[in-house]
Amino acid sequence: MAGEIAAAGGVVWRLRDGVVEVALVYRERYGDWTLPKGKLEADESARVAAHREVREETGARVALGRFLGRTGYLLGADHKVVDYFAARYLDGEFVPSEEVADLRWMPVPDAVARLSHDRDLPVLAAFSALPADLTTVLLVRHAKAGSRAQWEDADELRPLSRNGEKQVPPVRELAAVYGAERVYSAPLVRCVETVRPVADDIGVPVVEEELLAERKYEGMADAATRRLAEIAAGGGVSVVCSQGGVIPDLVTRVAADSPVSLPRRVESKKGSVWALFFAGTHLVAADYIRVP
């Protein structure tokens, strides 16, 4: 019986003399030039798999960016589906292997001409549709906290529950594959606890932002939206943790004058992440990521 093979990969890019170049790999076994990709391991998310496979096939350490699309094709009796993400080159050197014999960096038009499979063309087209060098904001809803009814102290001191603590490692892992550089949080224990491991990993403080807390956001939504835009304008990759009473409205406001089409109901499950991508202060892409 035919099955489905889940895989993930990336459009690995760098700026060289002001020109965006992307990396193609040559697989001697298949005699083709293609984008780096590979199968998901057990219990692995597509983003983590893309990050790992890019490193294994190209030697590059990358910071993931926006989702670029999914391709599908028959592989023997199975159907292989591949999720692709933009992937900014940070460092690392290519070493030939049994799987990948060669790697070439080239401008996108040259890569389009070199690709062996037409199924890869829409992925490069999606990559080229927006500027490569975007700012990333990972807007995180805090992980599950203990029962409010059973908590006798001030609500802002309520910590994560055991189930909430289990949601923290996936958030930490996502922050790593996106290349987090700064960390912000509403000044609530459960918010700070959700992202403190990220801050510890990269050696930065958690900057507390009162406007991101529900009690301050109500009546000050415009100011909070401006503050998120300021964080985006700082460039790089920021992790921002807030609450369920803030995130759907904040995402809607940020997307109001952008090309991003949001669902009618903007989700924000506990422990989930909105990956927001900005050109300056202008939102140009957004991916919603559910965390187990």
Side-chain angles (χ1 to χ4, degrees):
M1 180 181 293
E4 184 170 280
I5 300 172
V11 174
V12 184
W13 66 273
R14 69 182 184 184
L15 274 177
R16 192 175 183 87
D17 299 328
V19 176
V20 174
E21 295 182 332
V22 298
L24 298 188
V25 296
Y26 179 73
R27 303 182 301 175
E28 197 164 42
R29 175 184 176 187
Y30 299 103
D32 63 0
W33 286 96
T34 186
L35 300 167
K37 62 182 179 299
K39 292 186 291 186
L40 273 62
E41 295 181 349
D43 300 321
E44 188 177 44
S45 72
R47 287 168 174 82
V48 172
H51 190 265
R52 174 184 55 77
E53 284 289 342
V54 161
R55 186 65 182 265
E56 291 177 1
E57 293 202 348
T58 70
R61 187 173 65 89
V62 300
L64 285 198
R66 60 195 174 90
F67 176 63
L68 298 175
R70 171 176 289 182
T71 65
Y73 57 96
L74 287 176
L75 186 65
D78 296 318
H79 184 239
K80 187 171 185 177
V81 294
V82 189
D83 287 335
Y84 284 101
F85 304 86
R88 175 169 53 93
Y89 172 81
L90 300 175
D91 55 42
E93 296 294 331
F94 171 71
V95 176
S97 65
E98 289 185 6
E99 190 170 358
V100 178
D102 197 5
L103 178 146
R104 301 281 177 86
W105 288 98
M106 59 193 77
V108 174
D110 294 346
V112 169
R114 179 67 65 93
L115 281 169
S116 300
H117 306 291
D118 288 347
R119 62 177 176 261
D120 291 337
L121 296 176
V123 180
L124 271 186
F127 171 76
S128 301
L130 292 173
D133 196 11
L134 300 174
T135 295
T136 302
V137 175
L138 300 180
L139 184 56
V140 183
R141 183 177 176 187
H142 68 77
K144 295 175 182 177
S147 169
R148 181 177 298 180
Q150 296 178 11
W151 182 253
E152 297 179 354
D153 212 330
D155 183 65
E156 59 266 26
L157 301 178
R158 188 158 49 95
L160 297 181
S161 65
R162 289 185 180 180
N163 286 334
E165 290 172 354
K166 294 176 183 178
Q167 292 179 303
V168 172
V171 171
R172 184 180 181 183
E173 191 172 44
L174 269 177
V177 301
Y178 279 99
E181 298 168 297
R182 298 184 299 278
V183 182
Y184 303 84
S185 175
L188 290 86
V189 167
R190 55 192 179 274
C191 290
V192 174
E193 286 183 342
T194 299
V195 294
R196 187 180 297 283
V198 176
D200 291 343
D201 285 343
I202 59 179
V204 300
V206 177
V207 178
E208 295 190 355
E209 296 282 348
E210 289 193 2
L211 289 171
L212 297 175
E214 290 173 351
R215 65 177 182 271
K216 284 286 187 177
Y217 186 82
E218 187 176 355
M220 299 189 70
D222 288 343
T225 304
R226 288 194 297 272
R227 180 59 187 135
L228 189 70
E230 289 172 358
I231 291 171
V237 182
S238 296
V239 176
V240 179
C241 190
S242 186
Q243 297 179 268
V246 173
I247 292 173
D249 185 72
L250 182 58
V251 171
T252 300
R253 287 172 176 270
V254 171
D257 296 320
S258 81
V260 175
S261 178
L262 296 175
R264 181 174 298 178
R265 180 177 178 274
V266 176
E267 288 192 71
S268 181
K269 301 289 186 182
K270 289 180 180 176
S272 67
V273 179
W274 273 97
L276 307 174
F277 304 97
F278 294 83
T281 60
H282 187 58
L283 184 72
V284 295
D287 300 331
Y288 180 64
I289 309 165
R290 291 191 178 206
V291 173

